[in-house]
Every structure is written in structure tokens, then in C-alpha cells.
Amino acid sequence: MDKKYIIGIDNGSQSSKVVIFDTNGNPICEGKEPLKPMDLPKPGIVEHPDDDLWVSITKASKKAMRNFSGNIEDIIGIGLCTIRFCRALLKEDGTLAQPVMSWMDERVSRPYEHLNSSVRYVTTSSGYITHRLTGNFNDTAANYQGMWPIDTDTWEWITDPDEFKKFNIPKEMLFNLQMPGTILGYVTKKASIATGFPEGIPVVATSNDKAVEALGAGLIEEKTALVSLGTYIASMVQGKKNIKNAKNFWTNFACIPYEYLYESNGIRRGMWTISWFKDLLGDEIALKAKALGILPEEYLNNEAQNVPAGSNGLMTVLDWLAPTDKPYKKGLMVGFDARHTRAHIYRSILEGIALTMKNHFDSMCSELEIEVDDLIISGGGSNSDLFMQIFSDAFGIPASRNFVNDSASLGAAICVAVAVGFYKDFKTAVRNMVKIKDTFKPIEKNTQLYKLMNDEVYKHITNYTDEIFKKSYPIFG
């Protein structure tokens, strides 16, 4: 039998990536295209400029297809994963009536307002891209969290007319809902020309981006947790119940139909903070790294390896982007003395991320009344041995990373493998397509230090600094 291939689309917050996998989950080739900077025309408005989501996918897909050396006829489908919490307003023909609203746009957290007479459909980013690829007005049910008239028990549109009206979207303006792992439609000739994808192959429903990433990371067991390192960092565990009104987590749709993903509070601008620090250092680090044939992040990791756990008392609080209900919050670093170098600052940022997520994770697990035995780390940050060890030490449990650590594209491919019947179910597909690369075990003395540091100092810092920032916010914003 000829080897078969699957295309996974990961339309993320910073770039669109198209990866072609074989049916064992091995990446064969890829194409990547950065997204344009967000348009911020006025406070509270955050938009993807022009038609950037679709255009970035077409550019990434053409790169991937140019790099593909296999037989195009052996590609069995496309899995589509896009950014969650976006809102796309479409004309009658399915083209954009106005730019797509980002998840950071205040309008997506409010009921829809019909202010543009050319709008015929209101949908998600995945609904919009599905239409561009297939011509159909279908979408995955699992990307409708937030201000949508969705029944999270049935994964269907709400049937109670009074409840439905609260969202101010007429039923006829909404797309048809389908389950993850089902076929949404087939690539049209027009879409084939735009992307390079083979005409007529199936486009398969996935879920929201965090759930697809969780599936691609292998998160299907209830005793395992995932920390997703991205622009937004979150920890997750899988479950069967639709738990509502939780205090320390929220219940998201999983990528397996009628299962759920419990997602802790997270860190906004999480991995962005590392890029921010790297950029502050300027060309010096970039030039030194280039001379050694390594990336700047690797250079900083090598320096920080020599810094002891706890960074000699330097602690970083990751509030670089304040939540909307607490706009006064600010990021901070405390505990400087003459011992500290840029390597201490860098390690302190990594430790701040790990300890913040540990606290959010513990609150979630306590409310769920569960204990977790091991941790999966996904995202580009998991390439760092130092970061992996810090997570294992801070959580006090083994931390693993996979061969494919940007796992949303793999999760999308897994959905295709199920939809076309290559594997009988999601668990079988995950067992065959997700592979652990290595595991880091906690160093006891570091775990004890982080626990003492966290319990006695770190988790209490903002109880004091928030009062200062409440006073400075009216002055500086």
C-alpha cells in the first residue's frame, strides 16, 4: 500500500503553519508565514488587518506543497485548526465584510451588534477559513466558546428562544455545526489554486486551538496534564463532565466529541515576555549566538544554566498584559542585588512562568479533586532543556516533551486520520501518531527550594505590589 499523508493547518496567534505528516505522525515538510501586526484603530479594537488569516494560510500552504516530495494523490485530507475566540463577519458570498476581530478585541466578549448592513454571516475564524477552502457554511462546534448561543452540553445551538436572543445573532446568520473528526467539505478548485492543496480532498473539523494542541500533545488521560507555552500560556487536564461555574478554571470543549478540557488561569503575553527580554538586549546576543551557530534563545539558556535555582532571590511576576478587570496590574522584577546578571534575569523569567502556572494548576486540581502524575510541555519553549527542568522541579513531577512540540498541526492531522477512517478512534490515532522525545525528572533539592520560595514569598508578592500599582495606574496608565 502506498504511503499516505495528512495536512495539518495551525493558524496561530503569530503565524500560520502548514505541516504535512505521514500517518505515523512524522512531519514530512512544512511551510510557515508570519501574521501581520494587529491593527489597533482605537482602544479596545484589535483586528487582523486586511484578509491576513486567509492570505497567511495560502502563503504557508504553497511553501509546504513546494517542499512536498511525495505523491500528491496520497494526501488523504486536511485538518483545520485556527485561533479561538475570534469573530468573523462575512458577506453573502462568504468574503469578509470587515477585518476579523482578534481574541483580544473587546467586541468578542459582548453580544453581536449588527452595525454593518453588508454582514450576512457571523462566525469564527475556523468557520471563515472552512468556507474559503470548501465553499460550505460549516464549522466545528468545538470552537464556539464565549459569546455564542452554544449549548455546551449538547454541542448544538441553544434551543431556548429567550436564551438564544441574549446573544443577538439571528439563527440564519450562523453556520452549521459539526463535530471534531468529521468532514466539513472538500477543497474547491478556487481554493486549490490559492493554496496549492489538491482539489477535492476532505477538510476536517477539529476544535479550538488549545484543544487541538492538547490532542496533538497526547493529552487524553485524566492523570496527565499539559502546559501549553504560547503567547497565552495555560495548563490543561482532560475530563468527561461539563463543569460549569468553576472558580479556578473554565471548561472548554475538547477535541474528542463530548469530552471536555479543563483549563486553568494562564499568563497573557507569556512566551512573548521572553522575546521582549531578548529584544531588549539588542544585537550583542544575536551576534554572539550567530558566531556560535546557535539561536539567541539557546545562547541565553546556556548562560542561565549556570545560575542556581531561585536566581539568587530575583523573582519575576508576569503581568506584562493586565487582565481587563484589573487594568492596574503590571509586570515586575524584585530582589535585585550586585550578584545579578542578564542570565539571572532570563532564568527568573522562566521560573516566574513555571511558578505562576504551578499556582494556577494547583488551584484547578484542588477544585477538581484530582492528582496528576506527569506533565507534558508543548510549544517552542519546550525546546529548552533548562525550561523543561525548571517545570519538572517547580511542579515536582516528571515533565515530558514530544518529537513534535508545536502540536496543534499534529492534532489537526489526528482528526483527519479519524475522519477518513485510517484509525478507528482518537485514542488509537494518538497512540500511533504522538511520540515522546524525552522526560525530565524533578531534582529534589530544587523542588524543595521552589516550594519554600513559592509558599513563603512568590505567591504573595502581588498582595503588596497591587496596592502600589493601583495608585500609579491613574498617573501612568
Side-chain angles (χ1 to χ4, degrees):
M1 185 175 69
D2 292 335
K3 197 169 188 178
K4 301 300 181 183
Y5 303 95
I6 302 171
I7 297 171
I9 297 177
D10 175 14
N11 172 225
S13 296
Q14 298 184 30
S15 66
S16 288
K17 182 157 60 170
V18 175
V19 185
I20 302 179
F21 296 91
D22 65 20
T23 50
N24 290 317
N26 300 307
I28 303 302
C29 60
E30 70 173 59
K32 188 175 183 179
E33 181 69 22
L35 295 182
K36 295 178 181 178
M38 296 289 186
D39 275 344
L40 309 168
K42 58 182 180 179
I45 305 299
V46 186
E47 298 176 330
H48 290 278
D50 305 317
D51 198 1
D52 193 36
L53 296 187
W54 171 244
V55 171
S56 64
I57 288 174
T58 63
K59 290 181 178 180
S61 63
K62 286 182 176 178
K63 292 175 184 177
M65 294 306 297
R66 281 197 299 268
N67 294 330
F68 180 60
S69 59
N71 188 342
I72 289 179
E73 294 180 356
D74 291 327
I75 298 175
I76 60 176
I78 299 171
L80 174 63
C81 171
T82 68
I83 317 165
R84 62 180 176 175
F85 289 116
C86 294
R87 185 182 292 170
L89 307 181
L90 312 185
K91 299 178 183 178
E92 180 77 33
D93 63 357
T95 59
L96 289 178
Q98 60 192 68
V100 175
M101 302 175 202
S102 161
W103 62 272
M104 295 180 282
D105 194 304
E106 290 181 358
R107 291 171 294 178
V108 304
S109 62
R110 301 195 298 262
Y112 169 67
E113 295 180 87
H114 191 59
L115 303 176
N116 184 340
S117 61
S118 69
V119 174
R120 171 64 178 81
Y121 297 100
V122 183
T123 187
T124 64
S125 53
S126 54
Y128 171 56
I129 301 301
T130 294
H131 179 74
R132 293 302 299 255
L133 288 171
T134 69
N136 293 338
F137 293 95
N138 297 329
D139 195 8
T140 172
N143 199 22
Y144 283 87
Q145 285 278 15
M147 197 54 66
W148 297 98
I150 187 83
D151 185 328
T152 55
D153 290 320
T154 66
W155 298 40
E156 298 285 353
W157 296 127
I158 291 172
T159 56
D160 183 321
D162 293 332
E163 285 297 312
F164 195 99
K165 288 179 181 178
K166 293 178 181 179
F167 298 88
N168 204 35
I169 309 175
K171 182 74 175 290
E172 60 271 17
M173 296 182 77
L174 294 166
F175 276 30
N176 304 310
L177 297 181
Q178 293 187 209
M179 285 292 171
T182 61
I183 295 173
L184 294 162
Y186 299 85
V187 174
T188 64
K189 183 177 181 179
K190 183 177 181 181
S192 177
I193 294 170
T195 62
F197 294 147
E199 182 181 354
I201 65 171
V203 177
V204 171
T206 66
S207 184
N208 57 85
D209 54 358
K210 287 298 181 186
V212 182
E213 180 182 355
L215 180 69
L219 185 66
I220 54 175
E221 303 295 338
E222 294 182 9
K223 285 285 189 178
T224 299
L226 170 70
V227 173
S228 165
L229 298 175
T231 306
Y232 179 75
I233 299 175
S235 62
M236 292 163 268
V237 292
Q238 190 95 349
K240 307 287 187 184
K241 297 180 180 179
N242 184 17
I243 299 174
K244 302 174 183 178
N245 302 315
K247 294 181 180 179
N248 296 297
F249 65 92
W250 66 284
T251 302
N252 187 10
F253 293 120
C255 210
I256 300 175
Y258 302 111
E259 293 194 12
Y260 296 90
L261 203 63
Y262 308 131
E263 186 173 323
S264 74
N265 292 323
I267 303 173
R268 295 153 61 90
R269 286 190 178 171
M271 295 304 292
W272 173 92
T273 310
I274 294 174
S275 300
W276 165 84
F277 178 64
K278 180 189 68 176
D279 292 342
L280 279 185
L281 297 176
D283 294 336
E284 179 188 357
I285 293 299
L287 292 173
K288 287 182 176 180
K290 185 177 181 180
L292 295 173
I294 60 176
L295 295 172
E297 291 85 355
E298 188 176 352
Y299 188 92
L300 289 170
N301 276 304
N302 292 341
E303 283 192 334
Q305 289 277 10
N306 299 316
V307 174
S311 302
N312 293 125
L314 181 62
M315 291 170 283
T316 299
V317 176
L318 277 299
D319 284 329
W320 260 251
L321 179 62
T324 55
D325 60 334
K326 297 177 181 178
Y328 55 84
K329 279 187 170 288
K330 301 290 181 182
L332 70 149
M333 297 177 179
V334 295
F336 279 105
D337 62 39
R339 293 173 293 178
H340 294 125
T341 65
R342 68 184 175 212
H344 286 80
I345 298 174
Y346 182 73
R347 179 169 184 130
S348 176
I349 293 172
L350 300 185
E351 290 176 334
I353 290 172
L355 289 175
T356 300
M357 293 315 304
K358 166 66 171 169
N359 292 332
H360 290 325
F361 176 77
D362 284 350
S363 296
M364 175 175 66
C365 289
S366 177
E367 187 170 353
L368 285 168
E369 298 182 342
I370 62 171
E371 291 186 6
V372 170
D373 296 331
D374 53 80
L375 193 63
I376 305 168
I377 310 293
S378 70
S382 65
N383 289 321
S384 165
D385 288 0
L386 174 63
F387 210 3
M388 290 295 300
Q389 189 62 58
I390 288 173
F391 265 107
S392 180
D393 292 343
F395 278 67
I397 55 177
S400 300
R401 60 186 172 189
N402 297 327
F403 278 100
V404 178
N405 59 16
D406 292 323
S407 56
S409 54
L410 180 56
I414 289 170
C415 289
V416 174
V418 174
V420 301
F422 195 92
Y423 292 113
K424 65 177 183 178
D425 55 35
F426 284 95
K427 289 189 177 181
T428 304
V430 167
R431 283 197 298 269
N432 283 276
M433 297 180 72
V434 179
K435 299 175 179 65
I436 294 175
K437 181 180 180 181
D438 48 20
T439 300
F440 293 75
K441 295 183 178 180
I443 299 169
E444 182 61 26
K445 66 175 183 179
N446 291 350
T447 298
Q448 291 178 359
L449 174 65
Y450 284 136
K451 186 178 188 312
L452 180 64
M453 167 184 168
N454 191 30
D455 290 347
E456 296 296 324
V457 183
Y458 186 79
K459 66 172 59 173
H460 306 293
I461 291 174
T462 57
N463 293 337
Y464 300 93
T465 57
D466 278 0
E467 296 307 310
I468 295 172
F469 290 137
K470 285 177 183 177
K471 295 179 179 179
S472 66
Y473 182 72
I475 302 172
F476 301 107

